[in-house]
Amino acid sequence: MPIKWTVEQINALAPDDASVSAAKKLTKLSTWQTLGYDGALAWGECQGSGKDPYKTGVDLTESPAFKCSCPSQKFPCKHSLALFLLLASQENAFTQKDLPAWMVEWIEKRVKQAEQKAKREATKTANQGKPVDIEKQAKRASEREAKVKAGVQELEIWLKDIMRQGLASIQSQNYSFWDKIAARMVDAQIPGIGRMLRELAGISTSGDGWQERLLDRISRIHLLIEGYKRLETLPEDFQQDIRSFMGWTQKQEELLTQSGEQDNWLVLGQTIENDPLNYNLTIQRIWLQGQNSKKFALILNFAFSNFNNAKPLDESIETGTIIVGELIFFPSAYPLRALFKTRQTTIKADNFSWLADISEFLIYYTKAISQIPWLERLPIALENVRFSYDDKGWRLVDKDGYTLNLSETYNINFWQPLALSGGYPIKIFGEWYLDKVSLLTVYANNEFYSFNNMYR
Amino acid sequence: MWDDLVSVALTGTQRQKTEISANSSSDSLNKVLSQLNTPDLEQNLLSAAAILAIYQRAGKMPSKSEAKMPEPCELDDLPVCSPKIVKILDSIFKVAFTAGLLTEFLDLLSKKGNRVPYNRLCELLSYGDSYPQFRQGISKVIGKRGQWLAEQNSSWAYARTTKLESVSPQELWQTGSKLARISLLKELRAKDPKKARELVESTWKEEAADYRFASISVFKHNLSLEDEDFLETALDDRAKDIRLEAQKLLSCLSKSKFHSRMLERLRLIVLVKVEKKKTILEINPPEKLDDKAIRDIVEVDPPNKTIGKKAWYLRKIVSSVKPTFWTDELKLPAKEVLTLISKSDWEKDIFFALPITSVNHFDPEWATLLLDWCIEKKTNLEDKTAQELFLQLSTAEKEEFLKTRLLSNKTEKFNFSHLTGRLMYSHNNSWSKDLVKETLDKALYSIHTSKSFDWSLSNLFQHIALYIPESMFEEILPLFEEEKFDPKQWKLAERAIEQFTELLKLRQKMLKEFSL
């Protein structure tokens, strides 16, 4: 069943702001000569500047697909967006029920394309079954292992060199010093370590205590490669963790064949940022919590773009809604990352339960990092916290007077959550990262407020 | 132990050898560390650091805050406005040309007794920080939550309303911040000008000059002859700024001794004579000033070399004497006086000073007279001075003035960038139907007939759209539809017209929403 789309969600599909306002202008019923909807497909004919009206269609069966006969280079075009918006606001104006010929033609074409794609995939899978390819695959895998091994050896020597000469000797090194070794690790197909090294670059100039922070981070990388060297002796889940921290990706297709966990997944918060290793890569993190299992889950999406304002992959997920569906967790000693196998419906959440105070959170944190020492980012859901501000910055204070620092790196205007709270204890959600809370969501006055892109 | 490791790591193992000592208070930690005594020193160091770092992180204890938390805000706030009204507020902020609607929006909202939702407070308060003209309106629609917020953020202090009930004015005057004291003074001046003056006098001698200046500036509200003695004292102040302010205030009081002294001086300077049956003005400003005159004139030296001393004294004296001197004392009709002045050697100086005194004495008759004179003679008048004069007129007088001027050139095309057009921006009340119609007719005529678009119209449209009576919307909007224009003309004016109609439509929506 197609899910009900909101105006905000539809506007988020637009390629730019101009398209949003152009589409809005076309949402007058008078511009549409015909409008039809059969529960899964919507279509209409829009009078534009040309002689013939543009034929526009939207397929809502999966992630929406658009078609329009206009010459616009933008996708989706303003007509498609306008049609979608009209459907969301005035569904009963869509009086036609029978598909016109041009819609049938489009659907047939899409079915054909889908079939061809499926065929290609099937051949691919079939080919994978062939003995020749197992050999090839094994060869590729062993080639990679060899590369990784060489990379790890190189890094070991490099780290030991630093220890021999002392951190003071590299204090004045600039970014290229770190970039160089990070790039070597990427070449050795261990981009995860590359990313960790890249993040070291700013530490030596980060002020008091830099040497402690740097030793801490370097020793963490050391621990990771030590773990890799003894990989076979470790439990299976933990092996997966080490491999994924080093930068192996897991095949999602394989995961999707497993059975998942059915639950009502509350969207607690989300954030979008650029990958420190590659600024053309945008990373979207969506945090969920099962309303029955109380488990936290993290959906990661990646989008490549050459523009700064890259569109994230999934804007249909809204903070404060509950997605009823089946989630599959990536194997890990402390499973967090997951992906949806099925999504049945989305409903608006009316509350936000299962939260902790600050001391409870720290116990949870201890548990998590004793499972996986490299865990950097953990979900943090607190209740009964207030916002406090002084010359040292913004902090959260719980009912017992315990405090955690808030991260101000994203230039969040903390006056906004303060205004929402009125000085009373409220519920918050965020990411625990480098001993600070990155605020993502505030729950106050029975509403969820997102802070990922709400900096006014 | 961690500190030892950091110190070795900093200097390097080649200079400082280390042995991992398993002597912590935790047995399990010691057990792990004791395995690290291999010959590979760097390996030992890194492994020990990794173990200790995790050990510490895992054992992190929460810290307690000693900081005082602000008292939470009272909860019984004004009712929040409807989501539709919030949407209108968002539309107003969305593009720059609709921002002018904010004044009316804030006014409607406060009349309705509603406040904005909590998540719009920061935006609104910051906007007021950047655009002071909206501050008063903003402080009325932010409710208790907004006041509470403003108390904690110094750049939003403007929105705090001083609580007169809780603290006595005397106490606040003695202990309050500068801002609080001045806003108290303004408030008090409106209600009880005498009390306000007494407060200022009570500490006058101890205050710093900038403070005295801020205080004396408040006297323009509810100024009366009762303030005279205080102002006379201020005329002897050490600071020139304060003496000038006192001079300005005293010259507004036509019954003050100061005014009489200036009037006496002017009487000696300006004489009406009849020569060969022609009336002329004989104007003789003094060469030198006596001590008393120096005290009254305050600024004795001309501000620049283009003005002579005599001309400067004349300017100072004329601007301190009420404009009716020129008609009542000289017993001449106003028009004739102006003509005579324009024929004299001192035309420039007197026409510099007359607008000042007309404004100081709230004299709409003279204001109209001077504006008319400038329009007729096409004399240059600074926009700021013209606006000040225009603001002396009541709404009806402004209407009348603009209408007469618009109608007076029926045939030729009206030039909106001339003085009358510019004065339209100072008509900040609701415009009458007649005037709107007249203005838009002229504007449309200009668009339909000219080869280029007059860009002053673009600003004018945005201004009028804020003041057009609601009942005219339906009649006006069709006049600006694309079909009503020649495509060439439309292309030139398209942007200005679209912004105008968009603004009108948004305002229409707003008024409708608030009337519900």
Side-chain angles (χ1 to χ4, degrees):
Chain A
M1 195 194 86
I3 45 171
K4 183 98 182 136
W5 286 69
T6 66
V7 172
E8 286 72 26
Q9 287 171 337
I10 297 169
N11 283 341
L13 297 169
D16 50 36
D17 284 349
S19 298
V20 174
S21 49
K24 211 178 141 199
K25 281 189 186 158
L26 292 173
T27 53
K28 274 181 282 181
L29 286 176
S30 57
T31 38
W32 295 86
Q33 298 179 352
T34 56
L35 284 169
Y37 180 51
D38 71 355
L41 300 162
W43 63 91
E45 289 176 277
C46 177
Q47 188 58 57
S49 49
K51 183 161 64 77
D52 297 319
Y54 296 130
K55 296 181 171 69
T56 312
V58 182
D59 181 351
L60 291 111
T61 38
E62 35 200 299
S63 60
F66 301 98
K67 180 214 160 47
C68 186
S69 62
C70 77
S72 171
Q73 297 288 320
K74 289 183 180 171
F75 191 82
C77 69
K78 58 181 178 180
H79 309 102
S80 312
L81 287 168
L83 182 73
F84 205 173
L85 285 168
L86 265 177
L87 183 68
S89 58
Q90 307 185 48
E91 196 184 305
N92 44 16
F94 288 66
T95 45
Q96 279 192 6
K97 292 281 169 258
D98 296 326
L99 283 177
W102 52 272
M103 272 302 275
V104 177
E105 199 181 302
W106 178 45
I107 295 305
E108 278 173 356
K109 210 167 134 196
R110 289 192 64 220
V111 170
K112 217 178 261 171
Q113 279 170 350
E115 275 170 1
Q116 277 169 355
K117 195 180 167 204
K119 221 189 239 168
R120 276 201 303 274
E121 303 241 314
T123 348
K124 223 164 109 190
T125 333
N127 284 344
Q128 279 167 2
K130 288 182 187 166
V132 177
D133 286 301
I134 287 186
E135 249 171 54
K136 251 190 194 166
Q137 230 182 347
K139 198 176 158 216
R140 269 203 300 274
S142 72
E143 272 170 12
R144 179 169 188 180
E145 293 288 352
K147 262 192 187 173
V148 170
K149 220 171 168 182
V152 165
Q153 269 169 7
E154 183 185 346
L155 183 62
E156 257 191 299
I157 295 169
W158 190 83
L159 288 176
K160 282 183 186 171
D161 262 355
I162 290 185
M163 285 302 111
R164 200 169 300 121
Q165 289 161 16
L167 295 176
S169 69
I170 55 163
Q171 193 191 358
S172 55
Q173 293 286 6
N174 59 14
Y175 275 70
S176 64
F177 172 76
W178 303 97
D179 278 349
K180 217 169 115 193
I181 183 73
R184 296 284 302 152
M185 293 304 111
V186 174
D187 289 345
Q189 294 193 311
I190 34 182
I193 290 185
R195 193 166 290 125
M196 287 168 133
L197 286 163
R198 186 69 179 71
E199 281 171 353
L200 302 183
I203 296 182
S204 65
T205 52
S206 65
D208 269 356
W210 67 271
Q211 53 272 64
E212 282 189 50
R213 285 191 291 276
L214 194 55
L215 180 62
D216 175 13
R217 308 303 292 268
I218 286 179
S219 72
R220 242 186 265 193
I221 297 173
H222 166 76
L223 196 64
L224 187 58
I225 55 180
E226 287 297 308
Y228 176 72
K229 281 169 19 192
R230 301 173 177 72
L231 199 62
E232 284 76 31
T233 66
L234 300 168
E236 175 110 13
D237 281 348
F238 197 49
Q239 287 188 23
Q240 289 288 3
D241 285 322
I242 290 178
R243 292 171 76 91
S244 76
F245 274 104
M246 291 181 76
W248 265 275
T249 47
Q250 269 170 310
K251 287 222 172 72
Q252 304 205 351
E253 302 85 45
E254 274 169 32
L255 277 176
L256 284 171
T257 59
Q258 301 168 9
S259 64
E261 291 189 35
Q262 176 71 34
D263 207 331
N264 296 344
W265 298 99
L266 170 62
V267 184
L268 290 173
Q270 44 190 314
T271 171
I272 294 160
E273 61 187 30
N274 288 331
D275 180 11
L277 203 58
N278 177 356
Y279 284 103
N280 288 330
L281 180 64
T282 310
I283 304 174
Q284 179 186 31
R285 289 192 295 274
I286 302 170
W287 293 95
L288 308 165
Q289 189 179 34
Q291 296 299 282
N292 301 319
S293 66
K294 306 301 174 206
K295 270 189 192 167
F296 286 109
L298 169 66
I299 307 264
L300 275 178
N301 289 319
F302 302 93
F304 273 101
S305 161
N306 292 317
F307 307 102
N308 280 330
N309 53 351
K311 280 184 71 62
L313 290 174
D314 201 338
E315 289 207 357
S316 66
I317 294 184
E318 231 184 295
T319 299
T321 59
I322 290 174
I323 299 170
V324 180
E326 203 180 336
L327 210 56
I328 296 173
F329 283 88
F330 285 64
S332 161
Y334 197 89
L336 274 177
R337 190 174 172 200
L339 53 95
F340 271 111
K341 184 171 187 180
T342 57
R343 268 161 74 175
Q344 285 117 30
T345 49
T346 303
I347 43 180
K348 209 171 157 25
D350 54 6
N351 207 347
F352 177 9
S353 59
W354 200 89
L355 303 110
D357 60 24
I358 286 172
S359 8
E360 279 164 354
F361 168 73
L362 288 173
I363 293 168
Y364 159 78
Y365 172 64
T366 302
K367 254 188 223 165
I369 60 163
S370 51
Q371 299 286 331
I372 308 176
W374 307 281
L375 268 184
E376 291 262 77
R377 235 178 268 271
L378 279 172
I380 173 166
L382 298 172
E383 62 184 349
N384 278 324
V385 284
R386 295 193 282 166
F387 288 85
S388 146
Y389 173 71
D390 61 21
D391 48 359
K392 283 186 212 120
W394 287 87
R395 265 170 292 135
L396 289 169
V397 182
D398 76 1
K399 60 180 193 313
D400 303 320
Y402 289 121
T403 75
L404 293 179
N405 291 332
L406 281 158
S407 163
E408 293 176 41
T409 41
Y410 292 106
N411 289 324
I412 288 187
N413 176 4
F414 285 106
W415 293 99
Q416 182 78 346
L418 185 69
L420 294 170
S421 77
Y424 292 94
I426 54 169
K427 299 173 176 181
I428 66 104
F429 176 78
E431 289 176 345
W432 178 249
Y433 180 60
L434 302 181
D435 285 351
K436 279 183 180 170
V437 179
S438 303
L439 187 71
L440 295 181
T441 309
V442 160
Y443 181 80
N445 320 308
N446 303 321
E447 291 262 12
F448 286 87
Y449 296 93
S450 298
F451 284 86
N452 53 334
N453 44 16
M454 224 180 102
Y455 326 130
R456 289 181 182 264
Chain B
M1 197 184 325
W2 171 250
D3 290 342
D4 295 341
L5 291 180
V6 174
S7 136
V8 178
L10 189 65
T11 48
T13 50
Q14 61 183 10
R15 288 194 201 90
Q16 196 181 343
K17 300 271 184 279
T18 183
E19 280 196 19
I20 308 300
S21 46
N23 59 0
S24 89
S25 53
S26 156
D27 289 341
S28 44
L29 180 63
N30 289 337
K31 207 175 139 196
V32 182
L33 289 174
S34 62
Q35 298 168 10
L36 296 178
N37 275 320
T38 67
D40 187 339
L41 292 179
E42 293 76 37
Q43 172 85 8
N44 294 346
L45 177 58
L46 282 167
S47 300
I51 291 161
L52 271 176
I54 292 170
Y55 183 77
Q56 287 181 351
R57 224 172 327 134
K60 185 182 162 73
M61 297 298 281
S63 55
K64 277 223 175 191
S65 158
E66 304 302 326
K68 216 179 124 231
M69 300 290 286
E71 277 296 305
C73 172
E74 274 178 65
L75 284 178
D76 57 329
D77 215 329
L78 298 172
V80 65
C81 63
S82 71
K84 281 191 175 162
I85 290 181
V86 180
K87 249 185 167 169
I88 288 170
L89 176 65
D90 291 344
S91 315
I92 290 175
F93 275 128
K94 204 163 180 184
V95 277
F97 70 86
T98 53
L101 276 179
L102 191 60
T103 311
E104 193 177 17
F105 176 89
L106 295 170
D107 190 43
L108 289 166
L109 193 59
S110 91
K111 278 192 185 128
K112 205 176 162 84
N114 282 6
R115 61 166 172 86
V116 295
Y118 298 148
N119 61 344
R120 296 298 189 286
L121 287 171
C122 295
E123 179 181 25
L124 213 51
L125 285 163
S126 303
Y127 200 74
D129 183 32
S130 320
Y131 301 96
Q133 68 267 38
F134 299 114
R135 288 183 181 178
Q136 211 189 355
I138 288 171
S139 65
K140 286 179 188 157
V141 300
I142 53 175
K144 284 185 185 163
R145 184 67 59 94
Q147 294 285 341
W148 176 84
L149 215 53
E151 269 161 40
Q152 302 177 58
N153 186 330
S154 58
S155 45
W156 298 340
Y158 68 87
R160 295 174 204 163
T161 47
T162 325
K163 288 175 198 148
L164 275 184
E165 316 88 54
S166 55
V167 193
S168 78
Q170 277 84 355
E171 198 184 326
L172 190 61
W173 185 252
Q174 300 287 346
T175 58
S177 68
K178 180 176 173 184
L179 205 91
R181 294 178 69 188
I182 299 303
S183 67
L184 163 82
L185 207 57
K186 274 187 192 155
E187 207 176 324
L188 210 54
R189 191 69 197 172
K191 285 190 239 163
D192 188 352
K194 189 176 168 211
K195 182 111 186 210
R197 188 181 61 245
E198 284 169 0
L199 273 188
V200 174
E201 281 175 321
S202 71
T203 54
W204 182 253
K205 281 185 182 140
E206 295 101 66
E207 307 286 8
D210 64 329
Y211 224 102
R212 297 202 302 279
F213 181 73
S215 309
I216 197 172
S217 304
V218 177
F219 277 70
K220 62 174 175 274
H221 306 289
N222 264 333
L223 183 69
S224 78
L225 214 50
E226 285 187 21
D227 300 315
E228 187 183 10
D229 291 347
F230 168 73
L231 294 174
E232 279 284 349
T233 329
L235 205 53
D236 294 320
D237 200 278
R238 295 186 297 279
K240 191 168 135 195
D241 280 356
I242 293 163
R243 295 204 299 277
L244 278 173
E245 191 64 24
Q247 178 198 51
K248 194 173 138 198
L249 292 165
L250 283 167
S251 52
C252 297
L253 295 167
S254 57
K255 296 212 168 87
S256 66
K257 292 175 207 103
F258 173 87
H259 189 266
S260 315
R261 298 198 292 271
M262 285 301 206
L263 181 63
E264 257 339 291
R265 292 184 184 114
L266 190 57
R267 277 180 185 144
L268 294 175
I269 296 171
V270 183
L271 297 169
V272 183
K273 287 208 169 158
V274 181
E275 272 179 10
K276 296 173 193 164
K277 287 188 184 170
K278 266 190 174 169
T279 313
I280 56 155
L281 285 184
E282 203 180 88
I283 302 171
N284 281 312
E287 299 267 2
K288 270 194 167 175
L289 299 176
D290 58 21
D291 285 353
K292 278 181 184 167
I294 288 173
R295 174 177 181 260
D296 284 346
I297 283 176
V298 181
E299 233 175 349
V300 185
D301 296 321
N304 57 53
K305 281 180 183 165
T306 59
I307 306 167
K309 277 213 166 184
K310 281 167 82 174
W312 181 246
Y313 300 151
L314 183 64
R315 287 184 183 204
K316 291 298 272 188
I317 293 166
V318 172
S319 57
S320 296
V321 175
K322 58 180 178 178
T324 44
F325 161 86
W326 299 88
T327 43
D328 300 0
E329 292 258 333
L330 302 182
K331 300 201 170 54
L332 288 168
K335 276 254 163 131
E336 199 184 334
V337 171
L338 292 179
T339 315
L340 291 175
I341 293 171
S342 70
K343 283 180 184 160
S344 78
D345 293 341
W346 308 96
E347 178 196 6
K348 219 172 119 192
D349 304 299
I350 298 174
F351 276 115
F352 171 87
L354 277 177
I356 297 174
T357 174
S358 302
V359 170
N360 282 350
H361 289 275
F362 301 105
D363 196 323
E365 213 172 300
W366 266 88
T368 318
L369 209 63
L370 289 169
L371 285 171
D372 265 336
W373 180 266
C374 293
I375 290 168
E376 229 167 84
K377 304 283 171 204
K378 299 213 163 71
T379 340
N380 243 344
L381 191 61
E382 265 183 55
D383 269 9
K384 197 171 154 255
T385 317
Q387 278 161 15
E388 277 178 0
L389 286 172
F390 190 67
L391 290 175
Q392 304 308 310
L393 310 189
S394 67
T395 306
E397 285 164 342
K398 281 181 194 161
E399 289 269 339
E400 196 50 45
F401 183 90
L402 293 176
K403 224 157 42 187
T404 323
R405 288 287 138 206
L406 275 169
L407 286 171
S408 70
N409 47 4
K410 192 137 206 158
T411 47
E412 55 178 315
K413 213 167 69 181
F414 190 77
N415 190 334
F416 281 95
S417 52
H418 278 172
L419 188 56
T420 313
R422 298 204 305 274
L423 284 176
M424 288 180 166
Y425 298 104
S426 302
H427 187 7
N428 291 336
N429 314 76
S430 173
W431 284 36
S432 75
K433 284 186 167 191
D434 283 355
L435 183 60
V436 171
K437 207 174 157 340
E438 208 56 57
T439 311
L440 292 182
D441 276 355
K442 293 265 195 246
L444 280 169
Y445 180 79
S446 157
I447 295 174
H448 285 300
T449 56
S450 43
K451 284 204 182 83
S452 62
F453 181 67
D454 174 3
W455 279 103
S456 56
L457 278 178
S458 173
N459 292 330
L460 185 66
F461 279 153
Q462 284 177 28
H463 181 74
I464 311 180
L466 305 178
Y467 303 105
I468 291 178
E470 199 182 355
S471 58
M472 292 183 82
F473 289 178
E474 294 303 329
E475 148 196 2
I476 288 172
L477 284 168
L479 298 176
F480 289 88
E481 284 165 1
E482 188 175 350
E483 301 90 79
K484 305 283 163 66
F485 294 85
D486 176 84
K488 260 193 202 154
Q489 312 287 8
W490 171 257
K491 209 148 192 194
L492 291 171
E494 184 180 359
R495 229 175 82 95
I497 292 178
E498 280 193 345
Q499 290 188 347
F500 175 58
T501 49
E502 210 171 300
L503 193 51
L504 271 188
K505 282 178 190 162
L506 182 57
R507 192 164 155 243
Q508 190 175 28
K509 208 162 128 192
M510 171 175 90
L511 292 170
K512 200 177 134 215
E513 206 50 59
F514 275 105
S515 67
L516 292 177

